[in-house]
Amino acid sequence: MIVARDLSQGGMRVERFSGLEVGDRLHLAIYGAPDHEPFLVWATVMRDDGPRGMALVFDEVHPQLAGQLEKVVADLPS
C-alpha cells in the first residue's frame, strides 16, 4: 500500500516507497466514499522530490473515470 498526498485530477504525490523509481508505471486503486468500489487508473512516476515524496501523473483517464476522479477531488477536505 502506498500513502497518497495532494490528489488532483492530473496526479498525486505519494510517500517514498522502496524500489519505486522515476519512469515506473503503477496501476492504482483510488478510493472515494467508503460505500463505493475503488476505481483503477494507471500512473507514471514523473519526479522524485526526496523527503517530500514522489510525483505521479495519471496516464490518459477514461472520461467516465475522470468524472469519478473529479468527484473524489471535489469531496476532499480543504
Side-chain angles (χ1 to χ4, degrees):
M1 177 183 288
I2 298 176
V3 177
R5 307 271 187 250
D6 302 329
L7 177 66
S8 73
Q9 289 203 243
M12 69 174 87
R13 180 181 311 279
V14 297
E15 291 183 356
R16 293 184 60 79
F17 187 77
S18 178
L20 193 59
E21 298 179 5
V22 172
D24 286 350
R25 199 160 174 248
L26 305 168
H27 203 201
L28 305 170
I30 298 179
Y31 292 81
D35 59 335
H36 289 94
E37 290 292 317
F39 55 95
L40 303 175
V41 296
W42 284 96
T44 302
V45 180
M46 295 303 290
R47 195 175 63 242
D48 182 342
D49 292 333
R52 291 190 48 198
M54 303 180 96
L56 306 182
V57 174
F58 298 137
D59 296 349
E60 188 172 331
V61 178
H62 185 277
Q64 179 182 354
L65 294 179
Q68 290 177 289
L69 181 58
E70 181 178 1
K71 177 153 181 33
V72 169
V73 171
D75 289 345
L76 290 173
S78 302

